[in-house]
Amino acid sequence: MALDEDTAQEVAPQKKKPPTEDEKRRKKIVPGSLMKALMRPGGGDSTPSDGDQVIYHCTVRTLDGVVVESTRSESGGKGTPIRHVLGKSKMILGLLEGIPTMLKGEVAMFKMKPQLHYAEDDCPVSISNNFPKDDELHFEIEMIDFFKAKVVSDDLGVVKKVINEGQGWESPREPYEVKAWISAKKGDGKLIMSHLEGEPYFFTLGKLEVPKGLEMGIGTMTRGEKAVIYVTSQYLTQSPLIPMVDGFEEVHFEVELVHFIQVRDMLGDGRLIKRRIHDGKGEFPMDCPLHDSLLRVHYKGMLPDEENRVFYDTRVDNNGQPLEFSSGEGLVPEGFEMSVRLMLPGEIALVTCPPDYAYDKFPRPANVPEGAHVEWEIELLGFEMPKDWTGLNFKSIMDEAEKIRHTGNRLFKDGKFELAKAKYEKVLREFNHVNPQDDDEGKEFANTRNLLHLNVAACQLKMGECRKSIETCNKVLDANPAHVKALYRRGMAYMAAGDFEEARGDFKMMKKVDKSSEADATAALLKVQQKEQEVERKARKQFKGLFDKKPGEIADVSETEEDHNTGENQNNVDKDDSDTESSEESHEAAADAGRRGWFSLFGPTGRRLFSGLGLQRCSIL
């Protein structure tokens, strides 16, 4: 019986979708309320459907032939046909039902009862008060054209018709530079302007150099695409292309997108700009060196403030050899690496870089002044992705992990804590797919993973991320609560966060689980005591005299002497915060918390490429 029930559920019909508003409205139509008479046959055998834009002339008459309203100029109208997108535009019920029956070029007369036009209950289309909405009327419709439409704006103020498909998938956006053939006509077909001869029209998206609606439509096009973009008055902003837009109800732009230059505002504040001046090979961004890779580039460095004086050219100053460097290791200025990561092989880009992302925080060439803005013309010759660990045996995997860990250690010693952390985290991600085969491999794997977690915790502590450092130490201690190094590192993180009791508990636990760590634990407990006393002393100074004033008086709170011990104590914490093994395995003493490399702001790939990274330093109260 259970089997029969399961079978019945499998063959049960799916729930029908609820009817749309238009479908509900169509149920109001009764026989005889809408009649159609063919006045001129159309061509072809296709009729409009939902999603199509229909363009038609409409003349409304009373039953005795008096014209009520019309789009035709000979009948008193403006000569501009109506545009509707079926399924999206608000239409009277009679046309909602009748227009999908028409062929292109057809002329038909629809005789409608009042409830089929403007006398319908809750009619979505408004009409003037003097319109005879309670009369039976004739609607003469000429179907000029219909086609699948790309709705660019939700209010249908910008709609696109594709004439010829383009190439690729990338479309221009702010602040891309665009070249396009453009002509514009009013809704009645009269030409307004034309850029179809000489050079294509050149403009930058986002700088109001073309009407807003046209810019929106071009933002949906691909290279080589040809389209007509229909723009209504609310999207016709003034621009150098069409200086005067008053009086235009809508404009039809015929556009052929010839070319666009990818321009990227890398920081979002207009200071670091990458312009693609020669296309590379592949699809953006899938074929870019987003991940840490071995890169080969030719580049020319220039000083824009000195008439583009060249200060370095690999083709001249490097014996014609390209520069090779591994990304993610802080080996080139931050602005340089950020830009190269978003290039395709063979691409040439011009990068304009501010001093803080160029050489102010990186070894500066002798002929580059301090505080100088620079330009790099960079050609990405190619890159090699990191070795794939798939199929490697356990020893090979651990060898690769050790190489990356050593790189992280070097970065840590250089004060590039964010980059070092990214290296350790990369290995930890790869470890998710490693399966040791015996006890020896399992022990080696677990020890290495714990060491990586503790190195990540050390980076987080140096970056001021005390709470994250504690959470990372917990990953080791959850599996092994007696792990001395993890207890020590978590204790230091607790102390930096001002959680003195928790820190004291970790250092005392060290003494219990490992007698050999007693000296380190005792020294750490002394530091906790000093820090706690220091906080209490500051609090006493801050509130000294606050309660000594008479009622109504305000106590002035100020510090009268400098705290010379704070920096000394913090340096002592950093100096002693290290494991008992080699400096490569435990390197927290390698750099002071105040020493930050310029590339410490360059986080893992993706975070720093596509959005700014805000680092929150925890403070000691």
Side-chain angles (χ1 to χ4, degrees):
M1 185 64 183
L3 179 62
D4 293 339
E5 289 178 356
D6 291 342
T7 305
Q9 289 179 359
E10 290 178 3
V11 299
Q14 296 181 349
K15 286 186 177 181
K16 292 183 179 180
K17 293 182 179 180
T20 64
E21 290 300 317
D22 287 346
E23 289 172 341
K24 292 178 182 177
R25 292 177 64 202
R26 285 191 172 98
K27 292 181 180 179
K28 300 178 183 178
I29 300 175
V30 298
S33 61
L34 176 64
M35 308 290 289
K36 175 183 176 182
L38 183 65
M39 301 176 65
R40 187 183 74 194
D45 55 4
S46 62
T47 56
S49 59
D50 277 1
D52 286 353
Q53 176 166 267
V54 292
I55 302 177
Y56 60 92
H57 273 299
C58 177
T59 300
V60 183
R61 297 184 177 90
T62 61
L63 297 188
D64 55 6
V66 176
V67 174
V68 177
E69 67 174 12
S70 178
T71 58
R72 297 183 180 277
S73 55
E74 60 268 26
S75 298
K78 296 181 180 180
T80 302
I82 296 171
R83 290 188 302 106
H84 279 148
V85 177
L86 296 183
K88 295 186 179 293
S89 296
K90 296 178 180 179
M91 301 174 64
I92 60 172
L93 182 53
L95 294 184
L96 183 68
E97 180 71 11
I99 280 183
T101 69
M102 299 185 69
L103 300 172
K104 189 176 295 186
E106 178 182 327
V107 179
M109 182 73 76
F110 293 93
K111 183 180 180 182
M112 301 184 197
K113 296 289 186 181
Q115 64 269 25
L116 267 292
H117 53 80
Y118 300 100
E120 176 194 2
D121 293 338
D122 301 321
C123 179
V125 185
S126 59
I127 198 66
S128 61
N129 292 330
N130 59 356
F131 189 92
K133 67 177 184 178
D134 295 323
D135 294 347
E136 191 171 351
L137 299 173
H138 285 157
F139 286 74
E140 181 185 308
I141 305 297
E142 180 186 3
M143 179 60 66
I144 299 173
D145 196 8
F146 61 86
F147 46 83
K148 288 296 178 187
K150 166 69 176 178
V151 176
V152 180
S153 65
D154 292 338
D155 60 0
L156 307 180
V158 184
V159 177
K160 183 182 77 170
K161 172 187 178 181
V162 177
I163 300 174
N164 294 325
E165 296 285 350
Q167 300 174 352
W169 63 270
E170 188 179 10
S171 298
R173 56 188 175 86
E174 296 183 24
Y176 283 25
E177 297 171 351
V178 175
K179 288 184 178 181
W181 299 113
I182 303 174
S183 63
K185 297 178 181 179
K186 293 198 297 183
D188 59 5
K190 292 182 180 178
L191 186 68
I192 300 173
M193 53 72 57
S194 177
H195 278 280
L196 299 179
E197 297 180 355
E199 290 292 324
Y201 189 74
F202 175 84
F203 65 98
T204 301
L205 284 172
K207 291 191 174 181
L208 305 178
E209 295 174 357
V210 298
K212 179 181 178 182
L214 175 59
E215 190 173 82
M216 292 169 63
I218 289 176
T220 69
M221 298 177 69
T222 57
R223 190 178 279 105
E225 180 180 333
K226 189 173 183 180
V228 177
I229 300 172
Y230 301 84
V231 180
T232 53
S233 57
Q234 66 266 36
Y235 292 97
L236 287 174
T237 55
Q238 291 185 345
S239 66
L241 182 68
I242 304 180
M244 299 298 296
V245 295
D246 294 339
F248 294 155
E249 291 187 1
E250 71 175 38
V251 174
H252 303 169
F253 295 94
E254 186 168 321
V255 181
E256 182 178 355
L257 184 56
V258 178
H259 183 66
F260 57 83
I261 296 174
Q262 184 195 74
V263 180
R264 294 199 172 273
D265 185 346
M266 303 294 294
L267 301 174
D269 57 10
R271 297 190 305 131
L272 177 58
I273 301 295
K274 171 186 173 289
R275 298 178 69 252
R276 180 195 289 171
I277 57 179
H278 185 276
D279 290 340
K281 297 179 181 179
E283 292 292 333
F284 180 89
M286 290 79 73
D287 296 320
C288 296
L290 296 174
H291 301 284
D292 291 349
S293 307
L294 178 63
L295 303 164
R296 293 187 305 110
V297 302
H298 269 305
Y299 80 95
K300 182 190 299 183
M302 296 166 285
L303 296 174
D305 294 339
E306 299 183 17
E307 299 181 350
N308 288 337
R309 176 173 66 83
V310 176
F311 62 82
Y312 191 85
D313 187 342
T314 53
R315 289 184 169 88
V316 176
D317 301 305
N318 199 35
N319 297 321
Q321 296 300 311
L323 170 69
E324 290 192 2
F325 67 98
S326 295
S327 56
E329 298 185 11
L331 300 175
V332 295
E334 183 173 4
F336 191 101
E337 179 164 332
M338 288 176 66
S339 301
V340 174
R341 282 178 181 262
L342 293 181
M343 293 177 67
L344 293 167
E347 178 182 337
I348 301 176
L350 185 65
V351 178
T352 304
C353 186
D356 53 329
Y357 280 77
Y359 295 108
D360 274 11
K361 299 178 181 179
F362 191 83
R364 185 170 44 253
N367 50 358
V368 175
E370 184 177 357
H373 288 71
V374 300
E375 282 186 351
W376 294 298
E377 184 181 290
I378 306 170
E379 179 182 1
L380 177 58
L381 302 175
F383 64 92
E384 296 178 14
M385 295 289 288
K387 182 182 291 186
D388 185 1
W389 289 10
T390 304
L392 295 181
N393 59 35
F394 182 79
K395 184 179 184 307
S396 298
I397 288 174
M398 299 308 290
D399 288 344
E400 290 297 320
E402 189 67 9
K403 291 178 185 177
I404 299 174
R405 193 176 68 84
H406 278 303
T407 301
N409 294 346
R410 177 179 59 79
L411 292 168
F412 187 95
K413 292 175 182 177
D414 291 341
K416 299 170 183 177
F417 307 122
E418 182 71 16
L419 288 176
K421 181 167 73 75
K423 293 296 182 184
Y424 303 138
E425 290 176 335
K426 170 184 170 61
V427 181
L428 287 169
R429 287 193 301 271
E430 294 289 348
F431 271 12
N432 290 330
H433 309 289
V434 177
N435 297 305
Q437 299 301 309
D438 55 43
D439 290 344
D440 290 339
E441 289 185 357
K443 184 177 180 181
E444 180 184 357
F445 178 77
N447 289 338
T448 303
R449 184 172 56 188
N450 287 341
L451 186 60
L452 289 164
H453 279 310
L454 294 179
N455 286 351
V456 170
C459 293
Q460 290 167 332
L461 186 57
K462 291 297 186 183
M463 294 160 58
E465 298 174 347
C466 310
R467 296 299 171 189
K468 289 183 178 180
S469 182
I470 293 167
E471 293 172 4
T472 304
C473 291
N474 287 339
K475 294 178 181 179
V476 178
L477 291 167
D478 287 345
N480 182 5
H483 197 290
V484 175
K485 295 178 185 177
L487 286 169
Y488 182 79
R489 186 140 296 155
R490 188 175 70 174
M492 300 304 291
Y494 274 134
M495 183 169 61
D499 297 332
F500 302 119
E501 283 303 318
E502 289 83 353
R504 191 176 286 112
D506 279 346
F507 297 140
K508 287 180 178 179
M509 179 62 70
M510 286 175 60
K511 287 185 175 183
K512 290 182 181 180
V513 300
D514 187 353
K515 294 295 182 181
S516 66
S517 67
E518 187 169 349
D520 291 333
T522 301
L525 285 168
L526 180 60
K527 291 177 191 175
V528 173
Q529 183 180 357
Q530 292 172 346
K531 278 289 182 184
E532 200 167 19
Q533 291 173 349
E534 179 184 321
V535 170
E536 291 175 357
R537 180 174 55 81
K538 284 186 176 182
R540 284 195 299 270
K541 284 184 179 181
Q542 183 176 359
F543 293 105
K544 182 180 180 181
L546 182 61
F547 303 106
D548 297 337
K549 301 295 181 179
K550 295 179 181 179
E553 293 183 349
I554 299 176
D556 294 326
V557 182
S558 62
E559 286 200 31
T560 58
E561 61 183 78
E562 294 289 334
D563 178 15
H564 296 292
N565 295 325
T566 303
E568 181 181 347
N569 290 339
Q570 182 61 51
N571 287 337
N572 290 337
V573 170
D574 290 336
K575 187 181 298 182
D576 293 340
D577 183 16
S578 61
D579 296 334
T580 56
E581 294 188 3
S582 69
S583 61
E584 289 182 342
E585 292 179 345
S586 169
H587 47 233
E588 194 164 353
D592 182 81
R595 280 178 51 212
R596 283 193 171 194
W598 65 272
F599 223 134
S600 64
L601 296 177
F602 188 88
T605 304
R607 275 194 293 168
R608 287 296 291 139
L609 292 180
F610 300 106
S611 66
L613 175 65
L615 297 178
Q616 298 291 333
R617 293 190 63 87
C618 60
S619 58
I620 299 175
L621 299 177

